[in-house]
Amino acid sequence: DISLVAPDVLPHHCILSKKVETSGNVDLDECEVNFVVYLEPYKDALIRVNGVSVVTPIKLTPGDLVSLGEYYVFMFKDPTHTLDKELKLHWLDVLQKSHALHKDGDYSVVNGDDQTDKIRFPYKVADEERMLQVVMGLVDEDDIYPLTPAYLLLLAVKHSATHHTDTQTRQLLLRIANAIQTIVWEKTSDMSNTIDKDTAPSKALLELLPQLRPVICWMANCLEMLHYLQANLSRYLGNASHLSGGEEALLSADEEMLICLEEVVMYSFQQTVYHLTKVLYVALPVILDTNPFQFEDDDDQAGKHPQEVDMVVGIFNSTHFLLRGCGVHEDISRQLFAYLFFFANASLFNTLMERGAGGKFYRWAKGAQIRGNLDALEAWASQVGLQDEYVHYLQRLSTAVDLLATPKVQLLQ
Protein backbone atom coordinates (compact mmCIF):
# COMPACT_ATOMS: atom_id res chain seq x y z
CA ASP A 1 0.00 0.00 0.00
CA ILE A 2 1.02 3.60 -0.66
CA SER A 3 -0.09 6.05 2.03
CA LEU A 4 -0.84 9.68 1.16
CA VAL A 5 -2.00 12.27 3.68
CA ALA A 6 -4.25 15.13 2.57
CA PRO A 7 -7.75 16.40 3.41
CA ASP A 8 -9.15 15.24 0.07
CA VAL A 9 -7.38 11.86 -0.14
CA LEU A 10 -9.65 9.02 0.99
CA PRO A 11 -8.41 6.11 3.15
CA HIS A 12 -8.95 3.95 0.06
CA HIS A 13 -8.52 6.31 -2.89
CA CYS A 14 -7.60 4.11 -5.86
CA ILE A 15 -6.05 0.82 -6.94
CA LEU A 16 -3.14 0.45 -9.36
CA SER A 17 -3.02 -3.00 -10.89
CA LYS A 18 -1.00 -4.69 -13.61
CA LYS A 19 -3.02 -6.56 -16.23
CA VAL A 20 -2.22 -8.67 -19.26
CA GLU A 21 -2.93 -7.15 -22.65
CA THR A 22 -2.65 -9.39 -25.70
CA SER A 23 -2.65 -8.75 -29.42
CA GLY A 24 -2.88 -11.16 -32.34
CA ASN A 25 -4.23 -14.70 -32.08
CA VAL A 26 -5.93 -15.69 -28.83
CA ASP A 27 -3.55 -18.65 -28.69
CA LEU A 28 -0.80 -17.39 -26.36
CA ASP A 29 1.84 -19.19 -28.39
CA GLU A 30 1.09 -16.94 -31.38
CA CYS A 31 0.17 -13.62 -29.80
CA GLU A 32 2.14 -10.79 -28.24
CA VAL A 33 1.64 -10.36 -24.48
CA ASN A 34 2.11 -6.99 -22.76
CA PHE A 35 1.67 -5.97 -19.15
CA VAL A 36 -0.17 -2.68 -18.68
CA VAL A 37 -1.14 -0.70 -15.58
CA TYR A 38 -4.73 0.26 -14.84
CA LEU A 39 -5.91 2.85 -12.32
CA GLU A 40 -9.25 2.11 -10.67
CA PRO A 41 -10.73 4.93 -8.53
CA TYR A 42 -12.84 4.32 -5.44
CA LYS A 43 -16.24 6.00 -5.15
CA ASP A 44 -16.06 9.79 -4.53
CA ALA A 45 -12.27 9.81 -4.97
CA LEU A 46 -10.96 12.96 -6.67
CA ILE A 47 -8.67 11.74 -9.46
CA ARG A 48 -7.59 13.34 -12.73
CA VAL A 49 -5.52 11.89 -15.54
CA ASN A 50 -4.06 14.54 -17.82
CA GLY A 51 -6.45 17.05 -16.26
CA VAL A 52 -9.60 15.02 -16.95
CA SER A 53 -11.65 13.67 -14.04
CA VAL A 54 -11.71 9.87 -13.80
CA VAL A 55 -14.51 7.82 -12.21
CA THR A 56 -14.02 4.46 -13.98
CA PRO A 57 -10.93 2.25 -14.48
CA ILE A 58 -8.46 3.70 -16.98
CA LYS A 59 -5.33 2.40 -18.64
CA LEU A 60 -2.23 4.48 -17.85
CA THR A 61 0.28 5.39 -20.54
CA PRO A 62 3.87 6.43 -19.73
CA GLY A 63 3.93 10.22 -19.43
CA ASP A 64 0.38 10.50 -18.08
CA LEU A 65 -0.08 13.11 -15.34
CA VAL A 66 -2.08 11.60 -12.44
CA SER A 67 -3.58 13.93 -9.82
CA LEU A 68 -4.78 12.40 -6.54
CA GLY A 69 -6.81 15.06 -4.79
CA GLU A 70 -5.58 18.65 -5.01
CA TYR A 71 -2.20 18.08 -3.36
CA TYR A 72 -0.54 15.14 -5.13
CA VAL A 73 0.46 15.06 -8.78
CA PHE A 74 2.50 12.17 -10.23
CA MET A 75 3.86 11.45 -13.68
CA PHE A 76 3.40 7.78 -14.55
CA LYS A 77 6.50 6.01 -15.85
CA ASP A 78 7.03 2.41 -16.91
CA PRO A 79 10.77 1.75 -17.48
CA THR A 80 9.97 -1.68 -18.92
CA HIS A 81 8.26 0.00 -21.89
CA THR A 82 9.57 3.54 -22.35
CA LEU A 83 12.78 5.39 -21.52
CA ASP A 84 12.50 8.84 -19.93
CA LYS A 85 13.76 10.59 -23.06
CA GLU A 86 11.03 8.90 -25.13
CA LEU A 87 8.14 9.93 -22.86
CA LYS A 88 5.18 11.52 -24.62
CA LEU A 89 3.47 14.15 -22.48
CA HIS A 90 -0.12 13.70 -23.63
CA TRP A 91 -1.34 16.34 -21.19
CA LEU A 92 0.48 18.95 -23.28
CA ASP A 93 -0.58 17.65 -26.68
CA VAL A 94 -3.18 20.40 -26.89
CA LEU A 95 -0.41 22.69 -28.13
CA GLN A 96 -0.35 20.70 -31.33
CA LYS A 97 -3.95 21.72 -32.05
CA SER A 98 -2.59 24.91 -33.54
CA HIS A 99 -1.80 23.96 -37.14
CA ALA A 100 0.43 26.96 -37.71
CA LEU A 101 2.64 26.24 -34.74
CA HIS A 102 2.90 22.57 -35.59
CA LYS A 103 3.71 23.35 -39.21
CA ASP A 104 6.42 25.91 -38.41
CA GLY A 105 7.96 23.74 -35.71
CA ASP A 106 9.49 26.79 -34.07
CA TYR A 107 8.65 25.76 -30.53
CA SER A 108 7.06 22.97 -28.55
CA VAL A 109 7.34 21.39 -25.12
CA VAL A 110 10.33 19.05 -25.11
CA ASN A 111 12.43 17.08 -22.67
CA GLY A 112 15.57 18.87 -21.56
CA ASP A 113 19.12 17.70 -22.12
CA ASP A 114 20.16 17.60 -18.46
CA GLN A 115 18.81 16.53 -15.11
CA THR A 116 18.23 20.10 -13.86
CA ASP A 117 16.01 21.14 -16.77
CA LYS A 118 13.90 18.12 -17.68
CA ILE A 119 11.18 20.05 -19.52
CA ARG A 120 11.73 23.14 -21.67
CA PHE A 121 9.45 25.36 -23.75
CA PRO A 122 11.70 26.78 -26.47
CA TYR A 123 10.38 29.39 -28.89
CA LYS A 124 11.73 32.12 -31.13
CA VAL A 125 11.20 35.78 -30.30
CA ALA A 126 9.46 36.26 -33.64
CA ASP A 127 6.84 33.67 -32.60
CA GLU A 128 6.25 35.09 -29.14
CA GLU A 129 2.90 36.70 -29.94
CA ARG A 130 1.46 33.54 -31.48
CA MET A 131 2.85 31.47 -28.61
CA LEU A 132 1.04 33.67 -26.09
CA GLN A 133 -2.20 33.48 -28.08
CA VAL A 134 -2.12 29.68 -28.00
CA VAL A 135 -1.25 29.43 -24.31
CA MET A 136 -3.85 32.03 -23.32
CA GLY A 137 -6.47 30.08 -25.26
CA LEU A 138 -5.82 26.90 -23.29
CA VAL A 139 -8.12 28.08 -20.50
CA ASP A 140 -11.06 27.56 -22.86
CA GLU A 141 -10.08 23.92 -23.48
CA ASP A 142 -12.00 21.28 -21.51
CA ASP A 143 -9.62 18.34 -21.94
CA ILE A 144 -6.41 19.64 -20.34
CA TYR A 145 -5.06 20.09 -16.83
CA PRO A 146 -6.53 23.42 -15.65
CA LEU A 147 -3.19 24.89 -14.48
CA THR A 148 -1.39 24.15 -17.75
CA PRO A 149 -1.38 27.84 -18.86
CA ALA A 150 0.48 28.91 -15.71
CA TYR A 151 3.01 26.11 -16.14
CA LEU A 152 3.69 26.96 -19.79
CA LEU A 153 3.93 30.72 -19.17
CA LEU A 154 6.48 30.13 -16.42
CA LEU A 155 8.44 27.83 -18.74
CA ALA A 156 8.35 30.57 -21.38
CA VAL A 157 9.72 33.13 -18.90
CA LYS A 158 12.45 30.70 -17.89
CA HIS A 159 13.38 30.05 -21.53
CA SER A 160 13.47 33.76 -22.33
CA ALA A 161 15.67 34.48 -19.32
CA THR A 162 18.09 31.76 -20.44
CA HIS A 163 18.17 32.22 -24.21
CA HIS A 164 16.93 35.76 -24.93
CA THR A 165 18.08 39.18 -23.77
CA ASP A 166 17.09 40.74 -20.47
CA THR A 167 15.14 43.41 -22.34
CA GLN A 168 13.15 40.75 -24.22
CA THR A 169 12.40 38.91 -20.96
CA ARG A 170 11.10 42.12 -19.37
CA GLN A 171 8.97 42.74 -22.45
CA LEU A 172 7.59 39.21 -22.19
CA LEU A 173 6.59 39.80 -18.56
CA LEU A 174 4.67 42.94 -19.50
CA ARG A 175 2.96 41.22 -22.43
CA ILE A 176 1.86 38.31 -20.24
CA ALA A 177 0.54 40.70 -17.58
CA ASN A 178 -1.38 42.82 -20.09
CA ALA A 179 -2.80 39.77 -21.88
CA ILE A 180 -4.08 38.13 -18.69
CA GLN A 181 -5.54 41.37 -17.38
CA THR A 182 -7.32 42.09 -20.68
CA ILE A 183 -8.82 38.59 -20.88
CA VAL A 184 -10.16 38.62 -17.31
CA TRP A 185 -11.56 42.15 -17.66
CA GLU A 186 -13.36 41.18 -20.88
CA LYS A 187 -14.73 37.93 -19.43
CA THR A 188 -16.16 39.63 -16.36
CA SER A 189 -17.63 42.43 -18.47
CA ASP A 190 -19.44 39.91 -20.67
CA MET A 191 -20.72 38.14 -17.58
CA SER A 192 -22.18 41.32 -16.12
CA ASN A 193 -24.02 42.11 -19.34
CA THR A 194 -25.75 38.74 -19.81
CA ILE A 195 -27.04 37.73 -16.36
CA ASP A 196 -30.41 39.40 -15.66
CA LYS A 197 -31.22 39.97 -11.98
CA ASP A 198 -34.84 38.85 -12.56
CA THR A 199 -33.86 35.48 -14.07
CA ALA A 200 -34.96 32.37 -12.14
CA PRO A 201 -32.07 31.04 -9.97
CA SER A 202 -31.82 27.66 -11.74
CA LYS A 203 -31.69 29.29 -15.17
CA ALA A 204 -29.33 32.04 -13.98
CA LEU A 205 -26.93 29.42 -12.63
CA LEU A 206 -26.91 27.53 -15.94
CA GLU A 207 -26.07 30.77 -17.75
CA LEU A 208 -23.51 31.90 -15.18
CA LEU A 209 -21.30 28.82 -14.69
CA PRO A 210 -19.91 28.57 -18.26
CA GLN A 211 -19.04 32.27 -18.14
CA LEU A 212 -17.59 31.99 -14.65
CA ARG A 213 -15.31 29.07 -15.52
CA PRO A 214 -12.58 30.99 -17.45
CA VAL A 215 -12.55 33.72 -14.79
CA ILE A 216 -12.03 31.17 -12.02
CA CYS A 217 -9.44 29.28 -14.09
CA TRP A 218 -7.41 32.47 -14.55
CA MET A 219 -7.71 33.18 -10.84
CA ALA A 220 -6.22 29.74 -10.11
CA ASN A 221 -3.47 30.11 -12.73
CA CYS A 222 -2.51 33.62 -11.61
CA LEU A 223 -2.35 32.47 -8.01
CA GLU A 224 0.11 29.69 -8.93
CA MET A 225 2.22 32.08 -11.03
CA LEU A 226 2.21 34.72 -8.29
CA HIS A 227 3.41 32.25 -5.68
CA TYR A 228 6.22 30.99 -7.92
CA LEU A 229 7.37 34.36 -9.27
CA GLN A 230 7.44 36.02 -5.86
CA ALA A 231 10.14 33.52 -4.91
CA ASN A 232 11.97 33.15 -8.23
CA LEU A 233 11.47 36.18 -10.49
CA SER A 234 14.66 37.90 -9.33
CA ARG A 235 16.67 34.94 -10.69
CA TYR A 236 15.34 35.52 -14.21
CA LEU A 237 16.15 39.24 -14.53
CA GLY A 238 19.54 40.91 -14.73
CA ASN A 239 20.72 44.36 -13.78
CA ALA A 240 18.50 47.01 -15.39
CA SER A 241 21.36 49.48 -15.90
CA HIS A 242 21.62 48.52 -19.56
CA LEU A 243 18.16 49.91 -20.36
CA SER A 244 18.11 53.11 -22.43
CA GLY A 245 16.19 56.29 -21.72
CA GLY A 246 13.19 55.20 -23.78
CA GLU A 247 12.77 51.95 -21.87
CA GLU A 248 11.78 53.25 -18.43
CA ALA A 249 8.65 51.07 -18.41
CA LEU A 250 10.83 47.96 -18.49
CA LEU A 251 12.64 48.96 -15.31
CA SER A 252 9.71 47.89 -13.17
CA ALA A 253 8.52 44.99 -15.34
CA ASP A 254 8.95 42.54 -12.46
CA GLU A 255 6.91 44.70 -10.07
CA GLU A 256 4.24 45.28 -12.72
CA MET A 257 3.97 41.55 -13.31
CA LEU A 258 3.48 40.72 -9.63
CA ILE A 259 1.04 43.60 -9.08
CA CYS A 260 -0.99 42.55 -12.12
CA LEU A 261 -1.22 38.92 -10.99
CA GLU A 262 -2.30 40.01 -7.52
CA GLU A 263 -4.94 42.36 -8.95
CA VAL A 264 -6.32 39.66 -11.25
CA VAL A 265 -6.61 37.19 -8.35
CA MET A 266 -8.40 39.74 -6.16
CA TYR A 267 -10.66 41.04 -8.93
CA SER A 268 -11.67 37.62 -10.23
CA PHE A 269 -12.34 36.48 -6.65
CA GLN A 270 -14.55 39.51 -6.02
CA GLN A 271 -16.44 39.10 -9.29
CA THR A 272 -17.01 35.40 -8.61
CA VAL A 273 -18.47 36.13 -5.17
CA TYR A 274 -20.55 39.02 -6.54
CA HIS A 275 -22.23 37.05 -9.31
CA LEU A 276 -22.84 33.99 -7.16
CA THR A 277 -24.46 36.09 -4.44
CA LYS A 278 -26.76 37.62 -7.07
CA VAL A 279 -28.07 34.14 -7.80
CA LEU A 280 -28.22 33.20 -4.11
CA TYR A 281 -30.14 36.35 -3.21
CA VAL A 282 -33.09 35.20 -5.30
CA ALA A 283 -32.82 31.53 -4.30
CA LEU A 284 -32.25 31.71 -0.52
CA PRO A 285 -35.79 32.69 0.64
CA VAL A 286 -37.01 29.14 -0.04
CA ILE A 287 -35.03 28.11 3.07
CA LEU A 288 -37.58 30.08 5.10
CA ASP A 289 -40.67 29.21 3.07
CA THR A 290 -40.37 25.52 2.17
CA ASN A 291 -41.62 22.62 4.28
CA PRO A 292 -38.88 19.96 4.34
CA PHE A 293 -41.20 17.35 5.86
CA GLN A 294 -43.73 17.20 3.03
CA PHE A 295 -42.55 13.73 1.94
CA GLU A 296 -42.56 12.12 5.40
CA ASP A 297 -45.81 10.21 4.81
CA ASP A 298 -44.59 8.80 1.48
CA ASP A 299 -42.36 5.76 2.04
CA ASP A 300 -41.12 5.88 -1.54
CA GLN A 301 -39.74 9.40 -1.07
CA ALA A 302 -38.57 9.16 2.54
CA GLY A 303 -35.51 11.31 3.18
CA LYS A 304 -36.03 13.31 0.01
CA HIS A 305 -35.63 17.08 0.14
CA PRO A 306 -38.01 19.49 -1.60
CA GLN A 307 -36.91 20.57 -5.05
CA GLU A 308 -36.59 24.20 -3.92
CA VAL A 309 -34.13 23.30 -1.16
CA ASP A 310 -32.17 21.02 -3.49
CA MET A 311 -31.83 23.99 -5.83
CA VAL A 312 -30.09 26.06 -3.12
CA VAL A 313 -27.81 23.17 -2.19
CA GLY A 314 -27.18 22.69 -5.92
CA ILE A 315 -25.89 26.26 -6.26
CA PHE A 316 -23.29 25.65 -3.57
CA ASN A 317 -22.43 22.19 -4.93
CA SER A 318 -22.03 23.42 -8.52
CA THR A 319 -19.73 26.18 -7.28
CA HIS A 320 -17.65 23.67 -5.32
CA PHE A 321 -17.39 21.36 -8.33
CA LEU A 322 -16.35 24.27 -10.56
CA LEU A 323 -13.63 25.43 -8.16
CA ARG A 324 -12.18 21.92 -7.96
CA GLY A 325 -12.36 21.50 -11.71
CA CYS A 326 -10.43 24.75 -12.25
CA GLY A 327 -7.65 23.75 -9.85
CA VAL A 328 -8.32 26.50 -7.30
CA HIS A 329 -6.18 26.11 -4.18
CA GLU A 330 -8.19 24.73 -1.26
CA ASP A 331 -7.42 27.75 0.97
CA ILE A 332 -8.87 30.11 -1.64
CA SER A 333 -11.85 27.82 -2.16
CA ARG A 334 -12.57 27.82 1.58
CA GLN A 335 -12.27 31.59 1.70
CA LEU A 336 -14.73 31.96 -1.16
CA PHE A 337 -17.27 29.72 0.55
CA ALA A 338 -16.76 31.71 3.75
CA TYR A 339 -17.98 34.77 1.85
CA LEU A 340 -20.94 32.87 0.40
CA PHE A 341 -21.96 31.47 3.81
CA PHE A 342 -21.57 34.92 5.37
CA PHE A 343 -23.87 36.36 2.69
CA ALA A 344 -26.40 33.57 3.20
CA ASN A 345 -26.37 34.19 6.96
CA ALA A 346 -26.89 37.95 6.61
CA SER A 347 -29.53 37.68 3.89
CA LEU A 348 -31.62 35.01 5.62
CA PHE A 349 -31.27 36.56 9.09
CA ASN A 350 -32.43 39.96 7.83
CA THR A 351 -35.35 38.37 5.99
CA LEU A 352 -36.26 36.39 9.12
CA MET A 353 -36.35 39.61 11.16
CA GLU A 354 -38.53 41.33 8.55
CA ARG A 355 -40.95 38.40 8.27
CA GLY A 356 -41.47 38.31 12.03
CA ALA A 357 -42.29 41.99 12.41
CA GLY A 358 -46.03 41.22 12.71
CA GLY A 359 -45.59 38.36 15.12
CA LYS A 360 -47.43 35.67 13.09
CA PHE A 361 -44.32 34.30 11.39
CA TYR A 362 -42.61 33.35 14.64
CA ARG A 363 -44.09 29.92 15.34
CA TRP A 364 -42.55 26.66 16.50
CA ALA A 365 -43.65 24.85 13.31
CA LYS A 366 -41.95 27.47 11.14
CA GLY A 367 -38.76 27.21 13.18
CA ALA A 368 -38.74 23.42 12.82
CA GLN A 369 -39.16 23.73 9.05
CA ILE A 370 -36.32 26.23 8.69
CA ARG A 371 -34.10 24.03 10.87
CA GLY A 372 -34.85 21.06 8.62
CA ASN A 373 -33.80 23.03 5.53
CA LEU A 374 -30.63 24.32 7.18
CA ASP A 375 -29.77 20.75 8.21
CA ALA A 376 -29.84 19.74 4.54
CA LEU A 377 -27.37 22.52 3.69
CA GLU A 378 -25.15 21.66 6.66
CA ALA A 379 -25.13 17.99 5.64
CA TRP A 380 -23.81 19.01 2.22
CA ALA A 381 -21.16 21.27 3.77
CA SER A 382 -20.02 18.43 6.01
CA GLN A 383 -19.86 16.05 3.05
CA VAL A 384 -17.46 18.29 1.10
CA GLY A 385 -15.34 19.29 4.10
CA LEU A 386 -16.76 22.79 4.63
CA GLN A 387 -18.58 22.23 7.91
CA ASP A 388 -16.24 24.50 9.91
CA GLU A 389 -16.94 27.40 7.55
CA TYR A 390 -20.66 26.66 7.60
CA VAL A 391 -20.90 26.53 11.41
CA HIS A 392 -18.80 29.67 11.86
CA TYR A 393 -20.45 31.94 9.31
CA LEU A 394 -24.07 30.82 9.77
CA GLN A 395 -23.92 30.87 13.55
CA ARG A 396 -26.23 33.87 14.03
CA LEU A 397 -28.94 32.50 11.76
CA SER A 398 -28.62 29.00 13.22
CA THR A 399 -28.93 30.31 16.78
CA ALA A 400 -32.03 32.32 15.92
CA VAL A 401 -33.65 29.34 14.19
CA ASP A 402 -32.83 27.04 17.12
CA LEU A 403 -34.57 29.49 19.43
CA LEU A 404 -37.58 29.67 17.13
CA ALA A 405 -37.73 25.86 16.90
CA THR A 406 -37.69 25.39 20.68
CA PRO A 407 -41.17 24.45 22.06
CA LYS A 408 -42.84 27.14 24.16
CA VAL A 409 -43.00 24.89 27.21
CA GLN A 410 -39.28 24.37 27.07
CA LEU A 411 -38.67 28.11 26.75
CA LEU A 412 -40.86 28.83 29.79
CA GLN A 413 -38.89 26.31 31.83
Side-chain angles (χ1 to χ4, degrees), residues 182-237:
T182 299
I183 290 175
V184 173
W185 265 230
E186 290 177 351
K187 295 291 185 182
T188 53
S189 177
D190 294 342
M191 193 161 50
S192 299
N193 295 332
T194 56
I195 303 298
D196 193 315
K197 63 180 181 180
D198 297 323
T199 305
S202 55
K203 182 180 179 183
L205 186 66
L206 290 176
E207 295 177 1
L208 177 63
L209 291 181
Q211 299 177 64
L212 205 54
R213 183 186 176 278
V215 176
I216 293 178
C217 281
W218 274 119
M219 177 176 69
N221 279 274
C222 287
L223 191 65
E224 296 298 322
M225 293 175 65
L226 179 64
H227 177 72
Y228 179 83
L229 291 177
Q230 282 176 333
N232 297 280
L233 187 53
S234 59
R235 297 194 295 115
Y236 296 146
L237 297 178

Side-chain angles (χ1 to χ4, degrees), residues 284-310:
L284 283 173
V286 302
I287 298 293
L288 306 180
D289 300 329
T290 305
N291 178 10
F293 310 116
Q294 56 188 274
F295 300 115
E296 277 197 343
D297 296 333
D298 189 344
D299 294 336
D300 295 333
Q301 302 190 65
K304 182 179 179 181
H305 301 297
Q307 183 178 357
E308 298 87 349
V309 177
D310 282 342

Side-chain angles (χ1 to χ4, degrees), residues 5 28 30 56 58 98 100 111 133 150 166 171 179 183 203 206 212 217-218 223 225 263 367 388:
V5 179
L28 293 180
E30 300 181 9
T56 57
I58 184 173
S98 171
N111 290 333
Q133 289 177 349
D166 183 70
Q171 290 173 337
I183 290 175
K203 182 180 179 183
L206 290 176
L212 205 54
C217 281
W218 274 119
L223 191 65
M225 293 175 65
E263 287 180 348
D388 290 344

Side-chain angles (χ1 to χ4, degrees), residues 17-31:
S17 58
K18 184 178 289 187
K19 298 183 179 181
V20 175
E21 189 177 71
T22 61
S23 60
N25 195 298
V26 179
D27 187 348
L28 293 180
D29 293 333
E30 300 181 9
C31 72

